[in-house]
Amino acid sequence: VVGGIEAEAAMLGQPINVLTPDVVGVNLTGTLRPGVTATDLVLHATEMLRKAKVVGKFVEFCGEGVTHLSVPDRATLANMAPEYGATIGYFPFDEQTSRYLRETGRAEAEVAAAEAYFRAQGLFGTANPRDIDYTEVLTLDLGTVVPCVAGPKRPQDRIPVDQLKQRFAS
């Protein structure tokens, strides 16, 4: 965010100190098992990211597992940033993003322009976490996510469905 004083300093050639946020890479591996929903994934990731204390940080989802998530699943996970405490959660622009743009009525020229831009910037496709200088890298194996339930106000109190009867009885 740049205010009037910073803008004036820039116009006068003065240096401006800009604090860059910590960026946590979440290396997604594997694929979701059949029957596991985006909600299950979000509850699992929220619990993991809260434990990692990502408050005030940027979270970038990366790794080969990203390619196995649909755009709606990605949006569900990214939109939960306030729940896991991050400033923002985001995914890379890739083939699925381009397909989504086409399927939602964007002109082919617009899609091609977006792809060309991201390719020219070296930002197209899923990053390998070893190629990026993240502040921290966490790994989430999508195959470990199981169907679960949680209350609307406390997603950290996630209960795997196969443990529901036992937990309810206790």
Side-chain angles (χ1 to χ4, degrees):
V1 176
V2 176
I5 294 172
E6 292 87 357
E8 184 178 340
M11 289 187 297
L12 296 173
Q14 298 296 314
I16 299 175
N17 293 325
V18 178
L19 298 175
T20 56
D22 288 340
V23 180
V24 176
V26 178
N27 180 23
L28 300 178
T29 63
T31 60
L32 292 174
R33 293 190 240 173
V36 174
T37 67
T39 302
D40 299 324
L41 171 60
V42 165
L43 292 172
H44 187 98
T46 297
E47 181 180 4
M48 181 186 90
L49 291 168
R50 281 185 175 186
K51 285 180 184 174
K53 298 183 179 9
V54 298
V55 174
K57 300 177 182 177
F58 286 17
V59 173
E60 179 176 5
F61 296 94
C62 57
E64 58 88 19
V66 168
T67 61
H68 302 295
L69 294 177
S70 68
V71 172
D73 287 354
R74 295 175 189 189
T76 303
L77 187 51
N79 283 333
M80 286 295 283
E83 290 299 322
Y84 45 80
T87 301
I88 186 173
Y90 60 95
F91 285 83
F93 190 102
D94 62 3
E95 290 84 5
Q96 286 206 45
T97 313
S98 294
R99 186 172 64 242
Y100 175 81
L101 292 175
R102 285 184 186 95
E103 290 174 355
T104 55
R106 295 343 186 267
E108 187 56 38
E110 293 173 324
V111 176
E115 273 192 27
Y117 173 81
F118 282 102
R119 287 182 192 280
Q121 298 301 317
L123 298 173
F124 188 89
T126 303
N128 183 332
R130 292 181 300 269
D131 296 339
I132 306 290
D133 187 19
Y134 292 114
T135 306
E136 177 182 7
V137 176
L138 306 171
T139 299
L140 172 56
D141 178 357
L142 297 173
T144 64
V145 178
V146 296
C148 55
V149 296
K153 293 185 180 184
R154 296 185 50 86
Q156 69 272 22
D157 293 339
R158 171 179 73 84
I159 303 169
V161 170
D162 63 355
Q163 295 176 14
L164 193 56
K165 181 178 179 181
Q166 171 192 355
R167 293 281 297 274
F168 183 77
S170 66

